[in-house]
């Protein structure tokens, strides 16, 4: 998949007939000093364009996500229930430390970020990419904030000659999820300059959860029914919704009645039956997208012109319009669900033409006819321009560049499928059916103009007065919302690099520079959402910005050269001073060492300090609502109180006996991590300070001369982040109170008279730490010019020794060990490994890829005393004590591609990702998605064809 040392296409091409040969000085990710030697003291993984073309992935995000050092996607395309400004984008997360801690560059310059600090890789067209360099090491000393976990540098195509067009078509074996990509690149290079233009269009159709057997039902293939009760080991479903699509009415005695299937007359109770807790439930998965749709249009260009032999002007532009669409089931409306935010009366009134009881009655009903959709559009405008050149000073060549970067992201989110509560109240009031069979509000003697009556008791399979199948009624009840966002990044920079002196072991290199950066963001939810009058989550504005000045310096110091046990010995020192107008200043440094005892062996190591500044959303974000997934430790089915007497004693002071956590829909939760029935609040904190980090790595690269074509590299790494900026989860706050006995945590939530958690506010704080360490192993072997063709093999593995997280600064709070666990919805694989084999013979070629993901543990949702779905019931955690655990095994996906270079200068490739159609296990914790299936995994065999024509 990638080389141990970057392959720089075109940078070192030279005519062997000319003597002497002059190697171009280039800048490699991880150092600002231009040099001809590409071997670095830091671990850099590089994927060339040729290697990228041998994969079946169409987006830059998918390509980067395939690197073993990346963690779980922050917002996967299977995360249908995700909300907020960043939904619809694709983000990279190195080391599972969060995408806001991975710095993304384009040609060495920052990408624009959202108000939360996320860089959207979906805005980068794949046709623009020449190569991708990934520095898996801290680099704040060189690049500033956010480079805690590493740096992803997208190098774009330049000095392109000719015309190239490409088409990519593919779909899953189930006949859905169609993907199509069309692009072209045209360019011309002359003696004094070059220009490259390109455009790309891509579209990926959504995939419905109902079209895969592993996501068709809320709890996977083994549980297709709403509730299995005591059968099959007491397995229960926690995803089927008691709020059905036929409507359920409550009489004065609290009895529940559901309209008979197909009935068109709900004015008579004889057309109802007592609600069946099993049969009268809705499977929300039938309407949800398993994979969101994505459409992108991009135009890009770059140009450079040599004004003189030592002065060059450069500029590049990028325009991208990205659109992503989510869909989830229609809103589960409850007449009693908005008493905390809406002062009106949402009961079905006694005077309604559809009310069979003759009294104001409570009801619930899912809006099956109007699924909720969110269309997220993001338009990116990016310009970078400047001058660069070289000069001679004291007999040494120095390089310099001065530039300006402007990046603007404009976003629009359009939401449909949520009800406008004032109109719903009117539609549920007194009503009548006019002479034309139209259900109207009010009475025949005094109708309400412009108001249509709603019959929430009818099923979606019928039409008639008050039916939601009426488009006019849909328009009256369901008002669309439009959120807008604008983020801007501006950077002014000046850089100089060269050689201070020539020492016995080589040149003493120096790089230094200055940057002035401005970040601003404005995210404005629709006025309807801010009013709280919609069934959608309420939100408020995020608006603010900050600016900073930074100075950096880097020294490359050669110590020894061409002596015994030191073919080369050198070290690199870098430091960066950053002055923010928000929190003040910070200084960070980095030291790295490169030692070659002999030609075949390179030993390297680094130590660095880093930081991440609070984002605009961290500092100036408004308060927002969310229906969180959480586990109440006081629950008497699956909570810690079941097994821990101390927890049970603490809970007894706050909750009644036999307490059960209520989930969304007002029914008892049947497993941990259930979605809340009440909206909780989260907000920003203008007093936040930066996160700080320390990172260390040491490793080697061995290329034995006695075994030509073979390389092995091994690096140990460790990263620790302190003063982590985070909002604690509801589960962690409850655990701190009841499991750990921290009294201060007990004041951070509110329970009602029934013991249910109805209020939690989670402000962002600097607290606790994250620490992770592990190993990266890289093996490659190139066997060229055999009678059977050329062969190459590459095997990369990342092994995570540990990933620790401490949520607060309480001395009594134990540390969470997350390696190999699903935690906070993310998969923390201990092992990720990729093996790639490639064969070429003349114009023919083929490649085989293997992607391996290690096993995971999750808390048992069912069978707490052991059984088929709780295979480790006696597990103990230092964080939670006795925790019944379910362990699932590893997963492996195989990819294949065959290709042919035609006589007419084209390449045809056929391939399949996940060629054996492997599916992962059911996981009730829903890692990286909204389904009981891991959102990091393939959802079927994907077959594709790719055609590239060159002129």
């Amino acid at each position: 998949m990638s080389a141990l040392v970057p392959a720089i296409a075109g940078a070192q091409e030279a005519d062997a007939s000319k003597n002497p040969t002059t190697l171009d000085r280039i800048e490699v990710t991880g150092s600002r000093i231009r040099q001809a030697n590409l071997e670095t003291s830091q671990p850099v993984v590089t994927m060339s364009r040729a290697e990228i073309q041998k994969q079946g992935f169409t987006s830059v995000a998918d390509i980067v996500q395939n690197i073993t050092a990346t963690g779980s996607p922050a917002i996967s395309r299977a995360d249908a229930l995700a909300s907020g400004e960043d939904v619809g984008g694709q983000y990279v997360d190195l080391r599972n430390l969060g995408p806001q801690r991975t710095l993304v560059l384009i040609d060495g310059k920052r990408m624009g970020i959202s108000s939360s600090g996320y860089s959207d890789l979906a805005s980068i067209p794949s046709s623009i990419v020449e190569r991708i360099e990934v520095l898996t090491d801290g680099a704040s000393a060189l690049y500033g904030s956010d480079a805690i976990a590493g740096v992803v540098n997208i190098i774009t195509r330049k000095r392109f000659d000719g015309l190239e067009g490409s088409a990519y078509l593919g779909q899953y074996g189930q006949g859905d999820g169609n993907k199509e990509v069309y692009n072209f690149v045209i360019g011309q290079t002359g003696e004094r300059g070059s220009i490259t233009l390109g455009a790309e269009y891509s579209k990926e159709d959504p995939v419905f959860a109902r079209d895969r057997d592993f996501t068709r039902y809320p709890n996977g293939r083994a549980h297709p029914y709403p509730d299995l009760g005591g059968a099959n080991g007491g397995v229960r479903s926690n995803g089927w919704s008691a709020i059905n699509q036929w409507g359920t009415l409550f009489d004065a005695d609290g009895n529940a009645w559901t309209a008979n299937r197909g009935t068109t007359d709900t004015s008579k109770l004889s057309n109802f039956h007592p609600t069946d807790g099993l049969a009268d439930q809705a499977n929300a998965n039938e309407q949800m997208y398993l994979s969101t749709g994505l459409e992108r249009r991009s135009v890009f260009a770059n140009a450079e012109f040599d004004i003189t032999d030592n002065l060059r002007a450069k500029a590049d532009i990028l325009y991208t319009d990205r659109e992503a669409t989510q869909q989830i089931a229609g809103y589960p409306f409850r007449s009693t669900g908005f008493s905390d935010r809406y002062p009106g009366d949402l009961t079905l009134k006694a005077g309604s033409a559809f009310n069979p009881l003759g009294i104001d009655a409570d009801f619930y009903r899912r809006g099956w006819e109007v699924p909720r959709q969110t269309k997220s559009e993001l338009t990116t405008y990016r310009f970078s321009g400047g001058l660069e050149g070289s000069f001679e000073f004291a007999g040494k060549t120095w390089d310099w560049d001065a530039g300006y970067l402007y990046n603007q992201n404009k976003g629009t989110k359009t939401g449909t499928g949520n009800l406008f509560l004032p109109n719903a109240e009117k539609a549920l009031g007194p009503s009548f059916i006019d002479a034309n069979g139209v259900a109207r509000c009010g009475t025949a003697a005094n109708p309400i103009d412009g108001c249509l009556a709603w019959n929430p008791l009818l099923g979606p399979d019928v039409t008639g007065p008050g039916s939601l199948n009426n488009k006019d009624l849909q328009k009256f009840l369901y008002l669309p919302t439009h959120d807008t966002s604008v983020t801007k990044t501006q950077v002014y920079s000046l850089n100089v690099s060269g050689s201070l002196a020539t020492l016995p072991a080589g040149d003493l290199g120096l790089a230094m520079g200055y940057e002035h950066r401005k970040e601003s963001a404005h995210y404005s939810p629709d006025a309807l959402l801010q009013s709280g009058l919609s069934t959608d989550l309420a939100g408020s504005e995020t608006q603010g910005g900050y600016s900073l000045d930074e100075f950096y310096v880097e020294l490359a110091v050669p110590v020894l050269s061409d002596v015994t046990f030191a073919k080369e010995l050198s070290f690199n020192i870098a430091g960066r001073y950053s002055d923010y107008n928000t929190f003040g200043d910070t200084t960070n440094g980095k030291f790295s060492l490169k030692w070659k005892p002999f030609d075949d062996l390179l030993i390297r190591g680094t130590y660095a300090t880093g930081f991440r500044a609070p984002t605009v959303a961290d500092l100036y974000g408004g308060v927002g609502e969310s229906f969180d997934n959480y586990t109440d430790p006081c629950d008497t089915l699956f909570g810690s109180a079941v097994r821990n007497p101390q927890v049970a004693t603490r809970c007894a002071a706050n909750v009644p006996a036999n307490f059960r956590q209520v989930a969304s829909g007002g029914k008892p939760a049947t497993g941990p991590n259930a979605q809340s029935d009440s909206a909780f609040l989260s907000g920003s904190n203008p007093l936040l300070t930066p996160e700080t980090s320390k990172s260390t790595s040491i490793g080697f690269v061995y290329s034995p001369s006695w075994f030509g074509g073979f390389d092995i590299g091994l690096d140990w790494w460790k990263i620790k982040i302190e003063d982590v900026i985070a909002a604690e989860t509801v589960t962690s706050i409850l655990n701190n109170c009841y499991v750990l006995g921290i009294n201060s945590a007990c004041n951070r939530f509110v329970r009602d008279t029934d013991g249910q958690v109805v209020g939690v506010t989670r402000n962002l704080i600097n607290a606790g730490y994250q620490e992770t360490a592990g190993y990266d192993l890289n093996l490659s072997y190139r066997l060229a010019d055999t009678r059977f063709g050329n062969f190459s093999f590459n095997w990369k593995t990342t092994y995570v020794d540990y990933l620790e997280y401490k949520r607060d600064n309480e001395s009594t709070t134990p540390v969470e060990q997350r390696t190999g666990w699903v935690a906070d919805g993310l998969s923390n694989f201990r092992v990720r490994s990729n093996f790639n084999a490639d064969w070429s013979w003349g114009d023919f070629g083929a490649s085989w890829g293997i992607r391996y993901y290690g096993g995971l543990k999750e808390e048992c949702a069912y069978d707490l005393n052991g059984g088929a779905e709780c295979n480790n019931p006696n597990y103990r955690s230092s964080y939670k004590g006795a925790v019944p655990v379910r362990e699932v095994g590893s997963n492996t996906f195989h990819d294949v591609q065959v290709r042919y270079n035609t006589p007419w200068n084209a390449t045809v490739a056929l391939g399949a990702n996940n060629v054996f159609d492997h599916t992962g296990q059911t996981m009730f914790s829903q890692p990286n998605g909204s389904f009981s299936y891991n959102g990091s995994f393939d959802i079927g065999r994907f077959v594709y064809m790719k055609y590239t024509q060159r002129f």
Side-chain angles (χ1 to χ4, degrees):
M1 182 182 73
S2 58
L4 296 176
V5 178
I8 311 301
Q12 297 190 65
E13 293 179 358
D15 188 341
S17 65
K18 295 180 180 179
N19 189 29
T21 298
T22 300
L23 298 181
D24 288 344
R25 300 183 308 278
I26 64 169
E27 185 176 306
V28 179
T29 304
S31 176
R32 296 278 195 169
I33 298 174
R34 297 187 180 187
Q35 52 192 315
N37 185 358
L38 302 182
E39 289 184 330
T40 72
S41 57
Q42 303 171 85
V44 178
V45 177
T46 300
M47 289 179 288
S48 67
R49 181 163 186 82
E51 292 169 319
I52 293 171
Q53 291 296 308
K54 295 173 185 177
Q55 301 181 26
F57 302 113
T58 60
S59 72
V60 173
D62 290 337
I63 294 165
V64 175
Q65 190 62 39
N66 198 32
I67 297 173
T68 60
T70 58
S72 302
I75 304 175
S76 80
R77 294 178 63 190
D79 203 352
L81 294 174
S83 60
E85 174 190 357
D86 296 310
V87 172
Q90 294 177 285
Y91 312 100
V92 59
D93 178 3
L94 291 176
R95 306 298 189 200
N96 252 349
L97 293 175
Q100 69 274 39
R101 299 183 183 96
T102 297
L103 179 63
V104 181
L105 309 174
I106 299 180
D107 291 327
K109 298 179 176 61
R110 285 176 173 265
M111 276 196 70
I113 56 176
S114 69
S115 64
S116 301
Y118 287 21
S119 296
D120 182 13
L121 295 182
S123 64
I124 304 175
S126 58
S127 56
I128 199 178
V129 178
E130 178 63 37
R131 68 184 185 277
I132 300 174
E133 297 177 355
V134 181
L135 172 65
T136 55
D137 199 8
S140 288
L142 290 171
Y143 299 109
S145 177
D146 309 337
I148 285 178
V151 177
V152 176
N153 193 4
I154 311 296
I155 310 299
T156 63
R157 304 171 78 176
K158 303 177 183 68
R159 302 184 186 181
F160 182 84
D161 258 322
L163 171 64
E164 177 183 286
S166 180
Y168 175 104
L169 300 171
Q171 67 174 204
Y172 288 103
Q174 291 85 348
D176 56 10
N178 292 352
K179 297 182 182 181
E180 51 185 311
V181 181
Y182 308 97
N183 59 63
F184 76 88
V185 180
I186 185 172
Q188 184 174 4
T189 300
E191 291 184 1
R192 302 197 65 84
S194 69
I195 184 169
T196 303
L197 302 171
E200 180 172 295
Y201 171 79
S202 66
K203 182 179 181 181
E204 302 181 32
D205 291 343
V207 175
F208 276 94
R210 63 175 180 245
D211 293 328
R212 298 293 186 274
D213 61 353
F214 48 88
T215 54
R216 184 174 303 145
Y217 306 106
N219 282 300
R221 290 165 289 192
H223 309 298
Y225 302 106
D227 195 306
L228 300 181
N232 297 306
V235 176
R236 298 174 176 84
S237 167
N238 67 350
W240 285 75
S241 173
I243 299 182
N244 61 45
Q245 62 264 51
W246 296 285
T248 296
L249 189 70
F250 294 90
D251 62 23
D253 297 322
N255 299 312
W257 300 88
T258 297
N260 297 330
R261 309 293 188 271
T263 185
T264 58
D265 183 5
T266 65
S267 64
K268 301 171 184 174
L269 197 58
S270 59
N271 289 332
F272 287 73
H273 63 269
T275 300
D276 187 330
L278 296 178
D280 291 331
Q281 298 196 49
N283 179 6
N285 286 27
E286 292 182 14
Q287 292 193 323
M288 295 175 70
Y289 284 169
L290 168 59
S291 178
T292 58
L294 184 66
E295 189 171 8
R296 181 178 59 240
R297 303 167 183 85
S298 299
V299 178
F300 57 89
N302 62 68
E304 52 186 57
F305 178 73
D306 293 338
I307 301 173
T308 69
D309 289 343
N310 296 314
L311 180 63
R312 175 183 296 166
K314 300 180 66 174
D316 59 77
I317 59 172
L318 171 66
Y319 167 84
T320 297
D321 181 66
R322 183 263 294 161
E323 180 181 308
T325 305
Q326 294 172 288
Q327 178 172 302
I328 59 177
Y331 189 83
F333 188 90
R334 282 192 299 141
S335 58
T336 58
F338 304 94
S339 57
D340 59 337
R341 72 153 88 160
Y342 183 68
D345 182 0
L346 296 171
T347 58
L348 184 64
K349 304 303 183 295
S352 169
F354 316 114
N355 188 337
L357 300 178
I359 61 171
D360 292 356
D362 287 321
F363 71 95
Y364 54 64
R365 205 268 198 188
R366 185 179 286 278
W368 202 255
E369 298 87 343
V370 189
R372 285 169 287 174
Q373 282 198 344
T374 303
K375 183 170 70 172
S376 304
E377 298 177 89
L378 186 74
T379 303
T380 298
Y381 306 89
R382 180 182 177 89
F383 168 80
S384 175
L387 299 172
E388 65 176 30
S390 61
F391 60 90
E392 297 292 327
F393 179 74
K396 303 294 182 181
T397 300
W398 290 75
D399 301 297
W400 66 273
D401 65 83
Y404 170 71
L405 166 69
Y406 177 83
N407 194 105
Q408 176 182 278
N409 292 333
K410 297 184 68 174
T412 302
K413 298 179 72 68
T414 302
T416 56
N418 278 282
L419 292 88
F420 180 50
L421 295 177
N423 283 4
E425 181 180 9
K426 295 175 184 177
L428 295 169
S431 59
F432 69 99
I433 300 174
D434 66 15
N436 297 318
V438 178
R440 299 196 176 279
C441 306
T443 64
N446 189 21
I448 301 175
D449 290 340
C451 179
L452 297 177
W454 175 30
N455 184 354
L457 306 177
L458 286 180
D461 54 339
V462 297
T463 57
S467 168
L468 269 183
N469 286 306
N470 184 322
K471 299 300 182 182
D472 291 332
L473 178 59
Q474 290 180 12
K475 293 179 181 178
F476 180 70
L477 291 176
Y478 295 90
L479 301 186
T481 58
H482 304 279
D483 304 349
T484 59
S485 65
V486 178
T487 62
K488 295 179 182 179
T489 299
Q490 298 182 74
V491 180
Y492 302 85
S493 62
L494 174 64
N495 303 284
V496 178
S497 67
S499 175
L500 283 173
T502 299
L503 304 180
D507 286 341
L508 176 63
L510 170 70
M512 56 186 177
Y514 163 78
E515 290 185 3
H516 175 75
R517 177 159 59 96
K518 294 181 180 179
E519 299 279 1
S520 63
H522 181 204
Y523 175 58
S524 178
D526 190 283
L528 176 57
L529 299 182
Q530 297 188 49
S531 72
L533 298 180
S534 167
T535 57
D536 205 349
L537 296 172
S540 56
E541 285 194 334
T542 294
Q543 183 167 1
Y546 57 86
S547 63
L548 61 142
D549 293 287
E550 296 184 294
F551 300 87
Y552 76 89
V553 63
E554 178 187 4
L555 278 173
V557 183
V559 180
L560 296 173
S561 177
D562 293 322
V563 300
T564 304
F565 296 117
K567 183 69 177 177
E568 179 185 351
L569 176 62
S570 62
F571 61 85
N572 185 288
I573 303 174
R576 192 179 193 94
Y577 172 79
S578 306
D579 186 15
Y580 282 71
N581 69 345
T582 48
F583 62 84
D585 58 5
T586 179
T587 302
N588 294 274
K590 186 167 188 173
F591 173 84
S592 56
L593 174 71
K594 180 170 64 172
W595 175 36
K596 297 186 71 173
F598 46 91
D599 283 332
D600 297 355
L601 179 64
L602 168 66
I603 297 173
R604 59 194 180 191
T606 65
Y607 173 79
T609 60
F611 76 106
R612 182 177 79 86
T615 65
V616 173
D618 292 338
L619 297 169
Y620 311 116
V623 176
E625 286 186 318
S626 61
F627 287 98
D628 294 33
N629 287 66
Y630 75 101
T631 300
D632 195 322
C634 297
D635 187 278
T636 54
L637 175 66
F638 49 76
S640 299
V642 177
R643 291 172 174 260
N644 189 322
Q646 290 182 322
V647 175
T649 300
R650 294 177 185 130
C651 289
N654 300 107
V655 302
N658 301 316
F659 170 76
R660 295 300 322 287
Q661 174 186 341
V662 168
S664 177
K667 298 295 182 181
T670 54
N673 204 40
Q675 189 177 40
S676 63
D677 192 45
S678 299
F680 301 141
L681 300 177
S682 61
S684 59
N685 183 352
L687 301 179
L688 289 171
T689 59
E691 300 176 339
T692 60
S693 70
K694 295 179 181 179
S695 60
T696 307
S697 70
I698 185 169
F700 70 87
V701 178
Y702 181 47
S703 305
S705 55
W706 51 268
F707 188 14
F710 177 76
D711 298 289
I712 178 172
L714 177 65
D715 290 282
W716 171 84
W717 47 267
K718 177 182 177 181
I719 303 170
K720 184 173 184 178
I721 308 170
E722 296 189 277
D723 295 324
V724 172
I725 299 172
E728 292 185 295
T729 65
V730 177
T731 299
S732 70
I733 293 173
L734 296 175
N735 283 340
N736 283 348
C737 174
Y738 296 104
V739 179
L740 304 177
I742 301 173
N743 292 329
S744 59
C746 301
N747 299 322
R748 299 182 58 190
F749 57 90
V750 177
R751 291 187 184 270
D752 63 14
T753 55
D754 296 325
Q756 299 299 327
V757 178
V758 294
V760 182
T761 299
R762 305 180 313 287
N763 291 321
L764 293 173
I765 56 173
N766 289 104
Y769 72 87
Q770 285 182 267
E771 185 173 13
T772 183
Y775 300 87
D776 291 330
L777 173 65
N778 306 314
L779 296 170
S780 65
Y781 180 53
R782 298 168 297 281
L783 186 62
D785 299 328
T786 73
R787 58 182 297 188
F788 303 106
N790 301 325
F791 296 86
S792 65
F793 306 91
N794 189 274
W795 180 29
K796 291 186 178 296
T797 299
T798 294
Y799 176 87
V800 180
D801 190 21
Y802 63 85
L803 175 59
E804 296 182 348
Y805 186 28
K806 192 171 186 297
R807 294 179 180 271
D808 54 44
N809 295 322
E810 298 283 349
S811 60
T812 55
T813 303
V815 175
E816 294 180 63
Q817 299 291 343
R818 294 189 163 192
T819 306
W821 281 85
V822 176
D824 291 344
L826 297 178
S827 304
N828 299 286
F829 299 104
R830 183 176 292 278
V831 178
R832 280 198 62 185
S833 186
N834 290 339
F835 175 81
N836 291 273
D838 187 73
W839 164 79
S840 61
W841 187 33
D843 291 324
F844 295 90
S847 59
W848 189 280
I850 302 174
R851 294 174 281 129
Y852 172 89
Y853 299 82
L856 291 169
K857 293 190 286 287
E858 64 177 352
E859 291 187 39
C860 288
Y862 321 105
D863 298 340
L864 298 183
N865 294 317
E869 295 188 330
C870 187
N871 48 23
N872 193 349
N874 299 316
Y875 188 88
R876 293 192 64 83
S877 163
S878 61
Y879 182 67
K880 293 185 179 179
V883 181
V885 165
R886 179 170 180 265
E887 299 186 51
V888 300
S890 61
N891 289 270
T892 304
F893 302 90
H894 296 258
D895 308 324
V896 64
Q897 184 190 99
V898 295
R899 59 188 182 273
Y900 172 61
N901 295 321
T902 71
W904 55 89
N905 203 20
T907 300
V908 181
L910 300 175
N913 292 342
N914 190 19
V915 66
F916 296 129
D917 200 19
H918 174 75
T919 57
Q921 306 91 340
T922 294
M923 296 198 72
F924 301 104
S925 54
Q926 300 182 334
N928 306 109
S930 303
F931 307 93
S932 53
Y933 183 76
N934 198 309
S936 299
F937 293 163
D938 295 43
I939 60 173
R941 179 191 297 115
F942 188 84
V943 181
Y944 64 89
M945 183 278 292
K946 182 161 44 178
Y947 181 88
T948 302
Q949 180 67 60
R950 303 171 190 86
F951 300 94

